[in-house]
Amino acid sequence: MPPGLKRSYVDEANVRLSKKQPLLLEEVSSIKEHPLTSDGRLDSHSGSVGSENDPTDNEDGALVGETILCKTAQGHTEGGKAHKPPTGAEVRAIKAAQDLFLSSSFKLQVDALLPNIRPKDSRKPPLERFLFSLHAYLSSLPPVEPQHPLAAARALAEGSLLSNNSGKKKGSRRDGTGPPSQMVFVPYSSPAPTEDANWKVSFEKPSNIAIVGSWINNVAVKSPDGQPWVVDVAVEMPPGLFQEKDYMNYRFFHKRAFYLAVIAKHVSDPKSHLNVDVCYESKRGDTRLTTLILRHNHDNTPTDFSKLNAVIRIIPTLPTSSPIRQTRCSPTRSNFRVPLHELTGSDYENRPTPLYNAVLMLASSPLRDVLSVNTLKNDIPAYHDALSLLRVWANQRGYGGGRRTCIRGFEGAGPLWITSLELLIRGEEPRGEKNAKSLPSRTGLSSYQLFKAVLDLLSRHDFSHKPLFVKSKGGRLFAAEEYSGRFEAVLVDSSSCVNVLAGVPLASIEMLKLDARATLEVLDGTCGDPFSEVFLLDHRDLTSRFDCVLAVDLSSVARERISLHDVLENGSFSGALLTSLSIRLREALGSRVNALAILHRSSQPRPLSEGLPTDPTNIFIGLVLDQERAFRLVDQGPPATEPRSHAEEAFCELWGNKAEVRRFQDGSITESVVWHVQDSDKRAHIPVMIVQHILARHFGVGSGSVTSWQPEFDKLLRLPPTITSHYRTSGFKAALTAFQTLASTIKRLDKELPLAVANISPVAPELRYTSVFAPVSVPTDVVSTLQPCARYIQLIALNLEFEKSARWPDDLVTIQKTKMTFFERLAQVLAKNTPGLRARVATTLPTGVPPTADHAQLEITTPDGWAFALRIWHDREATLLDRILHSPPATLSSHDLENVREARRLYTQRFIAAPRHHRSVAALHHRFVAFGGTVRLVKRWLAAHWLLRLHVGEEAVEVLCAAMFVGVGPANVPSTRERGFARVVRLLRDWDWSNGVTIPLCGKSEPGPAVYSSAVPGAKGVWVLRTEADPDGRMWTVDAPNAGVESGVLNVHGMFVHPEDDYDFVVKLRPTVLPRYFQNVTADTAVWINSGNDASQNGEAPARPGFDPAEKYLDDLTRIYADTAKFFYDPLGGDRFGGIWDPSITKPLPFRVMNHFSSMPVTKEHFREKGKHRDSVVLNEDAVLSEIVRMGEGLVQR
Amino acid sequence: MPPTNSSVGTISGFSILAVQYDHATHHMLYIRAHVGSSSKKNPKKTDWPEGRTMFMVNVPPDATEREIVLLFKSCGTVEKVIFDADEPGEDSDSDSDSDSTDDDTGSETSQPRARKRPPKSAADQSTRPNVVPLPVIPHRTLRKTGHTAHILFLDASSCTRALALARPGGKPIQWPVDGDTECPRGLAHYVLQYEADRPSLDAVRAHGDSASKYKKGEALVDEDGFTLVVRGGAYGQAVGGGVGVASRKFMDERVKRKGHKEGNTFYAFQIHEKKRDGATLLFFSSLFFTLNLISALLELKRKWEEDKAAVEKLKSSKKFKPY
């Protein structure tokens, strides 16, 4: 086959020619064979097939930059003459890459991406051979005499229809000795033709067969999820089959369905020797758009194109010479009649049917589209790449096919992308009214610029009010007024016939707008890797994309709520239902949401024996909330007037019994809806409650059929009610109040202290809304009523700063003693002034910390039961430590110097970094409603996976979560903690550990981001450590939440249960003695309810704020076995911990005095096989485990 | 796996003493007689008497003196146990026994973190006399695994007997785990530690006062040179919260302004120099210009090549398949 053949497909002349007579490929290929300029450019992009077309030919093109770019790219991989000065052409190319793209590396990345999303030329020849044989076969099909539609359908199903016809010619076929042919039903739209139909269906061989769509123009883009390429074949039905009035009452669609069924019958017949699987497919579940899908069976014949992973889609089209006139399809026309008794008034009879008409118009568009795309592709070199980028972008966001859920209305949305690019290039048809600026035509843009311009258009255009018309040669077919109010959104293509947004709900378009805006923010932003964010990452995860996700089971929908007119207009019941649903929800949620989307599975091919597609039963509703308005308690409607206004009626109709008339503070009396909630957790549920209310009121979907995962997540952050009932007060606000009370008490008492108190600053997650559980107060008398396994009292850390004084001692150790004196003084004074207050000085000196470091704290338990831990910040310490570090005295040993360094580190962490961190994080809580909740969920999750504290610090989690909120642009900020959590998990999953993240936490408001840059590498170190300990990295791949959501059953609880298989050893602890056991994710209430025999101990046990033996135990183990094993433990009441042996010591090592692990000599076999030194030792695992158990006596469950 | 008696032998000059934790688990102690330091590199190190001192390696992390005494009860009386990890500032692996066995100890970089006692330790008391120590509730000290100890026996014969325990064919001896009520393990240990860390306020006062010499109402500076901390410091009376923050911010801004100015002067200086050069050497400047241009172009190309190399690297790691 000549290589020019492929290109000749694209030829305009070819398509025009093929209208007149059946496609004769050989002939056509000889008529015209000139290499397309853009083709050569394309080849050089891929780099693999560039040899046949030398791109140096066309240096003089309009977009010289791009062309030469490829040349340089090629030349250098061969030559590698990097030291020579670049030639002029190269300089131009490099400059073009920098100027026309985001950056030159972005350009290179785009070039690397494009070949991966285009079909491989080497796989095409079998397909082409198959297309020839298909063409020949279809052109030879025998006609079917006009028959009554139902009779014809019955005959087809029985198999008698075609065999009779063919039998007339070739009698031998009647025997039917071959395998029984497939049962084929005619996919008549519902309502199917009736017995009294006075029109006939018939079949004649196609008047034209042409390859159309993106394949023929070579602009196809790979489908996501391994879905096949689609090669569209337009089969033109001869005009003789139709009558002028066929646009009425689905008659055209019924005839089309019959035509398709006949082809299906023939093609699926084994005697056709095509060897294909044949299915029906209806995009969007619309029976009017039913097509035929041919998939070749694997048989290694020359026509076997199954390696390409492609299917052929047969689309019956209407010839331009058909008797059905285009003017009948104006959006204002009413083209089907609903029987009167179904409706309430006679005026409904002539209700316009714009969607029906739009679908009718589609029947003649495929060939036209091929021409316009081909023209564009030839005119604008960057068009092809821009279209590819746009489609990859859309596919990654669910605006298209794929096995996962797609957004309602965007299935098969290819024309939309083509048309929006067309709009940018061709410009907009001048608007009728004056002063209205229409979009200009833009031709000289690069592919990236075009892509960005489309996103910009999508993100900014107000589709609901302003229709868009691509400039067309023949002017407008229908006036703009005819479109207004008929469609939710209007974008008419260059043929001026088709509104490509027909049937796309406005809500979905708003989602598209939001995504476009988010992408532009990423492209304009500075941080991260914009390329992979925009093109490479899959953004279809529901949980990280939407603030609220609801799974709705539609099987219980009351079918009578949808009018017959709507069903006919939308082509199916489910189509009408989803349209109505999105309109209602959009109205009800109003400004609470930035966008809402209805998602469902994309339509799947169905066997020929199924005439109608099955309606989707499970859909998802995703809400992207406006964080300021989403959680308001009152929806105000129109003002109440005496004769109820139209708006009032509509409001009441929408809300039903929820609507009530209320008087507001400003004196207005309006219709309104009030949502009653008990606590802040419930308040976050309001948008979901609204959706549930609307579903129940308008569609009869009970709450049992609607699943939302929010309550499950709430449960994770709440303590068991059997414990909380003992507490006096709880909550972040209460903790803050208690802190302020204490601070003011101390300040009031400062006359009795040696120095005035300058400042008391909180440094605890409890006081910045980021502790996993809301802080609680446990008064001393309550403690004794609690079981030992629920007696934990969290200490809330504070820093106390005295006024500056020059009279502090100048010796580091003495400074620490002075602090203790201050504490003692403060304790006495406080206890005297506040009855019931307890204060103790604690010298919590972690092992290994020198006495020069800060080590004393004052633990205060207020009469209400709040526990605080106070430390003194004295900035002289830093000076003294730095002095030693800068010029160490000669007498100082290296060990002591290490101690000083450690003391300095502690100082910086406690008194410089911690307060600053606290302020930044507290500020984030006030800026982003979901921030605190996100941090709490992530902490809980990390803790449940045994990572928090020992491996990932709480502050590190806060910084990590902040990355989801700051620097991502407003369109990407999560508004609920569930989404924030999902995004963090996603980040952890995708994170390339070798690269750190930079989080602009401080923003502009805070001075000195320098400290943070030091804190972030700290966090990074932790992650790196983690990956070293578990080289498989399996920990992070567990339970990405989305997989669960899409299958409809997300097990939230299960995500927080840790698998234990990856550990070398797991030790069980006794839950009854762990003071934090009640915080465990899987806490067993029986542990504290039924253990009555421990009651005797309760009385004697005093309150010990901050006492957690398990935590201490694990700290000790981590220190003792620092070089032996890594430990993993859930600090929130974990009743088990795991460990992994350090991989470096699991093999025999030479004996040393300081081996830092418990060893034993290798056995004889061991060193014989290894040939090791005789004095080798190995880790004595049994002894270590035995020691661990021994040191945990009383804690470890035997 | 319990070691058979035959496998218990010597390793690098140490006898191996198997200690039984429970019926199936054995811990290995490496013991040998202590050899005094031959070199004088560390003169202040205590010289333990040779002959009746035993050097023990791989001491269990939770071992107490009492437990070691009990371990060798059958051999004689232990006078003292010195845990090397407790010696402040000591490189415990450069043990005075500087014979051939420790050939690789010099390269040992990771130092054991010497566990410093809280301020009441002897070192503090020597420099600051008369400090009232905080009350000590004795509790178990957990040291890093694999640490070493020196055991001083009362007489040489006990030491010899103890070393003989590790002879080949000897039975593993039991680690004395039971019933030390003074130094409990596990949960009770942590309760004890919690209480020990929180002495009574009186004790704290006595301790702190003695250390910092502060007594209310006394003179500001005492004769020892210890300064007392009282109200009215460098900045006079406290002015409420946020003093420190405000001043730091001010400082930051000053620094910033300063830095900015410096940049300007530098830049101006550069311009000036350029001008002067231009005025005097027009020809050379044009030559420079050309060279500059070429170098700029080379730079441009270099960057381009760098970007390309980076993308190629990504390509090889299959990063450009969107789905």
Side-chain angles (χ1 to χ4, degrees):
Chain A
M1 184 164 300
L5 189 62
K6 175 198 75 197
R7 254 175 251 122
S8 63
Y9 277 127
V10 208
D11 203 332
E12 197 173 325
N14 169 7
V15 181
R16 281 194 183 135
L17 211 136
S18 59
K19 276 188 214 159
K20 297 259 162 56
Q21 63 194 77
L23 191 68
L24 291 170
L25 285 161
E26 287 83 358
E27 187 188 321
V28 167
S29 67
S30 61
I31 291 173
K32 271 221 162 188
E33 188 179 337
H34 66 84
L36 294 165
T37 47
S38 60
D39 213 4
R41 204 176 52 78
L42 169 81
D43 286 348
S44 59
H45 270 307
S46 63
S48 55
V49 280
S51 53
E52 60 173 273
N53 288 311
D54 190 359
T56 47
D57 292 351
N58 37 15
E59 263 190 56
D60 52 343
L63 264 189
V64 190
E66 281 206 54
T67 321
I68 297 169
L69 216 53
C70 316
K71 185 187 134 199
T72 54
Q74 272 191 333
H76 282 299
T77 41
E78 296 156 11
K81 300 163 282 189
H83 300 296
K84 272 193 178 179
T87 63
E90 281 173 353
V91 173
R92 264 186 290 164
I94 296 170
K95 282 308 270 182
Q98 282 173 354
D99 297 344
L100 300 179
F101 286 80
L102 187 62
S103 65
S104 53
S105 71
F106 195 89
K107 156 77 184 160
L108 289 166
Q109 282 173 308
V110 168
D111 287 349
L113 167 79
L114 290 173
N116 287 333
I117 50 159
R118 289 175 179 167
K120 285 203 180 88
D121 286 341
S122 57
R123 298 259 166 92
K124 281 179 183 172
L127 174 74
E128 283 160 12
R129 285 192 285 273
F130 178 81
L131 288 173
F132 282 129
S133 52
L134 180 69
H135 178 258
Y137 184 71
L138 291 181
S139 312
S140 66
L141 291 182
V144 174
E145 301 298 319
Q147 292 187 36
H148 187 273
L150 286 179
R154 277 193 294 271
L156 193 69
E158 288 160 11
S160 59
L161 183 72
L162 303 178
S163 53
N164 279 346
N165 282 338
S166 59
K168 281 173 192 165
K169 288 172 190 168
K170 301 170 193 173
S172 61
R173 278 204 188 173
R174 203 181 285 172
D175 307 339
T177 44
S181 59
Q182 212 177 340
M183 181 96 114
V184 176
F185 280 97
V186 181
Y188 286 134
S189 300
S190 147
T194 49
E195 290 289 351
D196 54 354
N198 53 0
W199 46 275
K200 303 228 152 112
V201 292
S202 58
F203 180 82
E204 271 174 53
K205 68 174 184 177
S207 56
N208 183 15
I209 302 166
I211 304 164
V212 295
S214 55
W215 188 264
I216 183 68
N217 279 318
N218 218 352
V219 292
V221 165
K222 195 174 168 187
S223 313
D225 308 328
Q227 299 275 78
W229 300 94
V230 179
V231 183
D232 288 338
V233 173
V235 181
E236 200 171 84
M237 299 178 276
L241 300 181
F242 298 101
Q243 293 161 330
E244 198 198 335
K245 284 277 187 183
D246 277 351
Y247 56 80
M248 284 297 291
N249 288 346
Y250 273 78
R251 214 190 289 168
F252 166 75
F253 296 110
H254 292 322
K255 287 187 171 179
R256 179 186 184 275
F258 179 75
Y259 196 87
L260 200 64
V262 173
I263 292 180
K265 181 75 183 169
H266 280 295
V267 173
S268 64
D269 189 349
K271 293 188 202 88
S272 72
H273 301 297
L274 289 171
N275 192 18
V276 283
D277 276 346
V278 187
C279 313
Y280 287 134
E281 187 179 34
S282 303
K283 282 281 171 221
R284 307 180 195 178
D286 187 341
T287 46
R288 298 170 297 195
L289 297 172
T290 303
T291 51
L292 214 55
I293 300 287
L294 312 186
R295 185 191 292 271
H296 204 281
N297 290 319
H298 188 66
D299 60 359
N300 286 326
T301 52
T303 56
D304 173 17
F305 60 93
S306 54
K307 260 197 180 150
L308 182 65
N309 187 23
V311 294
I312 290 171
R313 178 161 61 193
I314 295 183
I315 308 168
T317 58
L318 197 61
T320 38
S321 55
S322 79
I324 300 173
R325 279 184 292 122
Q326 279 186 334
T327 45
R328 288 301 312 179
C329 301
S330 153
T332 49
R333 293 295 188 129
S334 170
N335 281 340
F336 58 78
R337 305 275 187 271
V338 174
L340 271 175
H341 60 87
E342 287 271 339
L343 298 160
T344 47
S346 59
D347 56 336
Y348 279 82
E349 203 189 346
N350 278 325
R351 230 162 78 176
T353 55
L355 273 178
Y356 174 92
N357 302 351
V359 175
L360 198 57
M361 289 293 260
L362 275 180
S364 55
S365 70
L367 285 170
R368 212 168 43 219
D369 289 349
V370 170
L371 291 185
S372 73
V373 170
N374 189 249
T375 321
L376 276 174
K377 202 181 148 191
N378 290 339
D379 289 355
I380 313 291
Y383 174 80
H384 184 192
D385 289 354
L387 182 63
S388 302
L389 290 179
L390 196 58
R391 297 194 72 160
V392 171
W393 177 84
N395 282 340
Q396 293 288 34
R397 283 156 183 78
Y399 300 104
R403 273 185 225 290
R404 300 171 74 174
T405 51
C406 70
I407 290 176
R408 172 68 193 165
F410 283 97
E411 200 184 338
L416 167 62
W417 313 119
I418 291 170
T419 308
S420 44
L421 263 179
E422 204 176 23
L423 177 69
L424 273 167
I425 293 168
R426 295 267 180 257
E428 198 183 349
E429 184 75 21
R431 293 213 178 101
E433 64 265 41
K434 275 186 181 173
N435 300 331
K437 253 180 125 182
S438 55
L439 287 168
S441 143
R442 277 175 281 189
T443 48
L445 301 181
S446 75
S447 57
Y448 167 71
Q449 285 167 327
L450 271 177
F451 167 72
K452 213 176 151 187
V454 171
L455 292 192
D456 188 58
L457 172 81
L458 291 177
S459 69
R460 270 197 275 183
H461 187 75
D462 178 9
F463 285 94
S464 57
H465 291 105
K466 287 188 202 142
L468 284 170
F469 295 86
V470 180
K471 198 173 181 84
S472 91
K473 282 176 200 142
R476 279 179 196 166
L477 186 61
F478 307 119
E481 295 75 46
E482 294 186 58
Y483 283 99
S484 68
R486 308 285 178 222
F487 295 103
E488 288 195 75
V490 176
L491 170 58
V492 179
D493 70 357
S494 63
S495 70
S496 189
C497 298
V498 178
N499 173 18
V500 291
L501 286 176
V504 181
L506 199 51
S508 300
I509 293 174
E510 277 168 0
M511 190 67 213
L512 180 71
K513 279 173 86 165
L514 195 73
D515 271 327
R517 203 160 72 224
T519 304
L520 287 176
E521 276 166 9
V522 169
L523 287 175
D524 294 339
T526 47
C527 59
D529 172 14
F531 181 79
S532 57
E533 181 68 22
V534 173
F535 297 115
L536 296 184
L537 291 180
D538 188 344
H539 289 264
R540 287 177 293 171
D541 286 0
L542 295 178
T543 44
S544 58
R545 184 178 195 181
F546 296 105
D547 289 317
C548 305
V549 180
L550 294 98
V552 183
D553 183 2
L554 289 181
S555 51
S556 60
V557 167
R559 293 185 85 90
E560 68 277 5
R561 307 279 177 105
I562 306 293
S563 77
L564 182 60
H565 179 91
D566 285 350
V567 173
L568 290 177
E569 170 77 349
N570 284 284
S572 66
F573 173 74
S574 68
L577 171 68
L578 295 183
T579 306
S580 163
L581 193 63
S582 84
I583 291 172
R584 289 285 189 191
L585 287 177
R586 207 174 150 266
E587 194 183 348
L589 288 162
S591 62
R592 287 177 195 269
V593 291
N594 285 332
L596 79 97
I598 295 175
L599 302 103
H600 55 84
R601 297 205 169 276
S602 49
S603 56
Q604 299 298 318
R606 60 183 193 274
L608 297 178
S609 53
E610 284 176 31
L612 292 173
T614 46
D615 289 343
T617 50
N618 284 304
I619 59 159
F620 298 95
I621 299 174
L623 310 179
V624 180
L625 302 176
D626 177 320
Q627 68 161 356
E628 264 150 42
R629 279 169 269 199
F631 308 112
R632 63 171 180 236
L633 296 172
V634 181
D635 278 308
Q636 260 177 285
T641 46
E642 195 28 62
R644 287 177 103 191
S645 67
H646 196 68
E648 255 185 292
E649 294 284 356
F651 189 83
C652 294
E653 206 275 320
L654 179 68
W655 292 106
N657 55 7
K658 276 265 179 198
E660 51 193 345
V661 179
R662 283 195 170 231
R663 182 205 292 275
F664 289 90
Q665 270 183 340
D666 60 355
S668 61
I669 301 171
T670 60
E671 292 281 349
S672 52
V673 177
V674 179
W675 301 93
H676 300 280
V677 292
Q678 293 90 32
D679 53 30
S680 58
D681 278 354
K682 280 272 178 302
R683 189 162 178 162
H685 295 189
I686 289 179
V688 171
M689 286 157 74
I690 292 174
V691 174
Q692 283 173 333
H693 176 75
I694 294 295
L695 281 172
R697 170 162 165 74
H698 293 283
F699 303 97
V701 177
S703 58
S705 306
V706 185
T707 321
S708 145
W709 286 278
Q710 279 179 323
E712 295 275 323
F713 280 105
D714 291 347
K715 240 184 267 168
L716 290 167
L717 301 180
R718 227 179 278 148
L719 293 169
T722 43
I723 301 291
T724 44
S725 57
H726 292 276
Y727 295 145
R728 191 161 297 167
T729 46
S730 68
F732 291 101
K733 285 238 167 64
L736 275 170
T737 317
F739 158 67
Q740 271 144 13
T741 315
L742 179 73
S744 62
T745 313
I746 292 176
K747 282 200 174 156
R748 208 171 54 237
L749 294 174
D750 83 356
K751 289 278 177 293
E752 299 179 46
L753 296 172
L755 284 177
V757 174
N759 199 4
I760 299 177
S761 51
V763 285
E766 286 79 13
L767 297 180
R768 56 179 182 243
Y769 302 89
T770 55
S771 64
V772 173
F773 302 106
V776 294
S777 71
V778 195
T780 319
D781 52 328
V782 172
V783 175
S784 53
T785 64
L786 289 168
Q787 293 289 335
C789 63
R791 208 174 270 170
Y792 183 72
I793 304 165
Q794 179 72 47
L795 280 168
I796 299 173
L798 308 173
N799 278 345
L800 175 78
E801 188 189 351
F802 284 114
E803 62 169 330
K804 296 228 187 302
S805 161
R807 305 196 171 178
W808 280 76
D810 239 3
D811 176 274
L812 283 164
V813 177
T814 322
I815 285 176
Q816 306 309 330
K817 308 283 175 198
T818 314
K819 283 185 181 176
M820 287 175 79
T821 320
F822 272 125
F823 281 143
E824 188 272 333
R825 188 90 206 112
L826 190 57
Q828 301 282 11
V829 170
L830 274 175
K832 196 173 76 196
N833 281 277
T834 319
L837 182 138
R838 279 163 46 89
R840 290 179 90 176
V841 180
T843 59
T844 48
L845 187 67
T847 316
V849 173
T852 45
D854 174 73
H855 62 260
Q857 63 179 16
L858 182 65
E859 295 175 357
I860 302 168
T861 312
T862 67
D864 287 338
W866 294 100
F868 294 95
L870 206 64
R871 286 185 183 275
I872 293 176
W873 174 21
H874 177 50
D875 57 2
R876 181 86 184 138
E877 274 179 71
T879 320
L880 293 173
L881 290 168
D882 282 345
R883 200 177 284 165
I884 300 175
L885 286 175
H886 282 143
S887 51
T891 53
L892 209 64
S893 71
S894 63
H895 179 79
D896 285 343
L897 195 64
E898 200 51 48
N899 278 347
V900 173
R901 217 164 273 144
E902 175 65 16
R904 181 73 174 102
R905 196 193 61 76
L906 261 181
Y907 173 86
T908 316
Q909 186 193 31
R910 259 181 206 155
F911 300 119
I912 307 294
R916 189 167 297 204
H917 176 84
H918 183 96
R919 283 196 299 275
S920 317
V921 171
L924 283 182
H925 166 78
H926 293 292
R927 254 173 80 196
F928 304 107
V929 282
F931 177 72
T934 302
V935 174
R936 293 170 67 193
L937 272 178
V938 173
K939 279 185 185 173
R940 178 64 153 172
W941 184 71
L942 287 172
H945 289 291
W946 300 2
L947 291 171
L948 193 69
R949 215 182 78 82
L950 284 182
H951 299 270
V952 185
E954 292 209 22
E955 283 78 11
V957 178
E958 284 159 13
V959 173
L960 187 71
C961 292
M964 302 298 112
F965 291 86
V966 283
V968 293
N972 283 319
V973 170
S975 294
T976 59
R977 55 193 184 200
E978 292 79 16
R979 181 177 175 207
F981 169 70
R983 287 185 80 103
V984 173
V985 173
R986 189 188 136 101
L987 173 79
L988 293 177
R989 193 190 59 198
D990 295 342
W991 195 347
D992 180 4
W993 302 100
S994 52
N995 301 327
V997 282
T998 313
I999 298 154
L1001 185 59
C1002 296
K1004 293 158 202 150
S1005 58
E1006 285 250 346
V1011 173
Y1012 263 94
S1013 62
S1014 72
V1016 174
K1020 203 178 103 188
V1022 176
W1023 299 116
V1024 172
L1025 177 92
R1026 178 66 199 90
T1027 40
E1028 277 166 2
D1030 178 18
D1032 302 342
R1034 283 156 78 185
M1035 215 64 76
W1036 297 115
T1037 54
V1038 292
D1039 296 326
N1042 195 62
V1045 172
E1046 288 211 344
S1047 60
V1049 277
L1050 172 61
N1051 185 354
V1052 174
H1053 200 72
M1055 270 167 44
F1056 287 78
V1057 175
H1058 189 58
E1060 288 163 21
D1061 311 336
D1062 297 339
Y1063 295 99
D1064 287 335
F1065 57 89
V1066 173
V1067 180
K1068 277 182 107 90
L1069 301 176
R1070 281 173 62 203
T1072 45
V1073 297
L1074 301 175
R1076 297 184 84 158
Y1077 178 70
F1078 68 112
Q1079 299 177 340
N1080 193 314
V1081 178
T1082 51
D1084 180 8
T1085 46
V1087 170
W1088 60 81
I1089 290 177
N1090 296 332
S1091 56
N1093 50 349
D1094 283 348
S1096 54
Q1097 295 172 11
N1098 293 345
E1100 66 195 60
R1104 294 196 183 100
F1107 177 60
D1108 183 9
E1111 183 186 303
K1112 289 266 178 211
Y1113 176 48
L1114 262 298
D1115 281 351
D1116 276 339
L1117 290 183
T1118 311
R1119 176 176 58 82
I1120 292 169
Y1121 298 106
D1123 304 319
T1124 310
K1126 293 262 176 289
F1127 292 91
F1128 299 88
Y1129 173 63
D1130 178 2
L1132 301 175
D1135 57 349
R1136 283 155 308 160
F1137 68 90
I1140 296 173
W1141 301 117
D1142 191 323
S1144 65
I1145 58 160
T1146 45
K1147 51 189 181 301
L1149 292 168
F1151 173 80
R1152 290 176 185 178
V1153 172
M1154 297 308 294
N1155 252 340
H1156 298 304
F1157 64 90
S1158 177
S1159 59
M1160 61 183 186
V1162 290
T1163 51
K1164 282 204 180 98
E1165 322 71 88
H1166 223 118
F1167 67 77
R1168 196 181 305 138
E1169 70 190 39
K1170 300 263 175 183
K1172 281 268 178 183
H1173 190 252
R1174 205 188 157 276
D1175 289 342
S1176 291
V1177 288
V1178 289
L1179 175 68
N1180 190 351
E1181 295 182 6
D1182 291 340
V1184 170
L1185 290 179
S1186 178
E1187 280 165 5
I1188 289 173
V1189 171
R1190 193 170 67 207
M1191 284 186 279
E1193 199 177 75
L1195 282 169
V1196 174
Q1197 192 142 34
R1198 290 262 177 181
Chain B
M1 78 197 115
T4 58
N5 283 345
S6 58
S7 77
V8 177
T10 58
I11 190 163
S12 301
F14 284 86
S15 309
I16 300 168
L17 175 60
V19 181
Q20 195 172 15
Y21 277 171
D22 52 51
H23 65 278
T25 320
H26 292 76
H27 179 82
M28 297 300 157
L29 295 175
Y30 306 96
I31 54 174
R32 68 150 193 239
H34 167 72
V35 183
S37 91
S38 47
S39 64
K40 293 288 166 226
K41 59 176 181 179
N42 207 346
K44 54 176 188 177
K45 181 170 285 179
T46 332
D47 232 352
W48 294 296
E50 279 184 47
R52 60 186 182 93
T53 307
M54 178 203 271
F55 179 49
M56 184 190 276
V57 174
N58 199 15
V59 183
D62 59 339
T64 59
E65 181 161 359
R66 191 179 140 83
E67 278 165 355
I68 290 177
V69 168
L70 283 173
L71 182 72
F72 293 113
K73 203 169 68 178
S74 63
C75 309
T77 319
V78 173
E79 182 193 308
K80 196 178 168 196
V81 177
I82 299 107
F83 293 106
D84 298 332
D86 294 351
E87 297 303 301
E90 181 176 334
D91 292 340
S92 36
D93 55 338
S94 69
D95 172 68
S96 49
D97 320 62
S98 55
D99 49 16
S100 61
T101 58
D102 292 351
D103 48 356
D104 48 6
T105 49
S107 63
E108 190 76 41
T109 48
S110 69
Q111 294 181 353
R113 229 173 267 150
R115 182 186 148 87
K116 288 240 172 180
R117 288 196 175 277
K120 66 242 177 190
S121 73
D124 294 335
Q125 285 176 10
S126 62
T127 51
R128 277 169 281 281
N130 308 325
V131 172
V132 180
L134 284 171
V136 176
I137 305 176
H139 59 277
R140 193 177 288 269
T141 308
L142 304 175
R143 297 173 184 85
K144 207 175 163 185
T145 183
H147 67 108
T148 58
H150 284 88
I151 298 152
L152 268 73
F153 287 91
L154 208 55
D155 49 49
S157 60
S158 311
C159 184
T160 321
R161 271 199 297 279
L163 286 168
L165 282 176
R167 71 181 186 282
K171 276 183 74 178
I173 51 173
Q174 191 75 28
W175 181 255
V177 274
D178 50 342
D180 188 346
T181 47
E182 199 179 60
C183 295
R185 293 188 175 84
L187 184 58
H189 163 73
Y190 289 111
V191 172
L192 198 63
Q193 193 189 34
Y194 183 89
E195 295 300 332
D197 280 344
R198 286 157 183 78
S200 73
L201 288 180
D202 291 338
V204 171
R205 184 172 53 224
H207 174 68
D209 286 356
S210 63
S212 62
K213 300 280 175 183
Y214 169 69
K215 297 252 165 24
K216 208 184 170 196
E218 274 190 5
L220 293 181
V221 181
D222 67 22
E223 62 284 4
D224 291 342
F226 285 114
T227 327
L228 306 186
V229 184
V230 287
R231 179 175 298 273
Y235 297 98
Q237 274 289 31
V239 234
V243 181
V245 179
S247 67
R248 248 197 320 288
K249 192 172 182 178
F250 177 61
M251 288 299 284
D252 283 351
E253 269 167 18
R254 267 184 53 168
V255 168
K256 235 182 263 166
R257 223 177 293 141
K258 219 174 153 190
H260 186 59
K261 229 176 245 171
E262 275 170 2
N264 271 343
T265 53
F266 185 65
Y267 188 53
F269 162 70
Q270 232 180 3
I271 288 176
H272 188 64
E273 202 174 48
K274 268 188 184 169
K275 259 187 200 163
R276 198 181 52 201
D277 287 350
T280 51
L281 296 160
L282 195 70
F283 167 70
F284 279 115
S285 74
S286 66
L287 186 69
F288 279 144
F289 178 74
T290 324
L291 285 176
N292 274 341
L293 187 70
I294 292 177
S295 70
L297 285 174
L298 275 173
E299 174 70 15
L300 194 69
K301 191 173 162 191
R302 195 184 52 75
K303 271 197 181 145
W304 172 252
E305 294 294 330
E306 267 175 22
D307 282 348
K308 232 165 60 188
V311 171
E312 281 300 320
K313 208 174 138 201
L314 285 173
K315 221 193 236 175
S316 61
S317 60
K318 287 184 181 148
K319 283 234 170 121
F320 290 105
K321 289 233 162 88
Y323 32 71

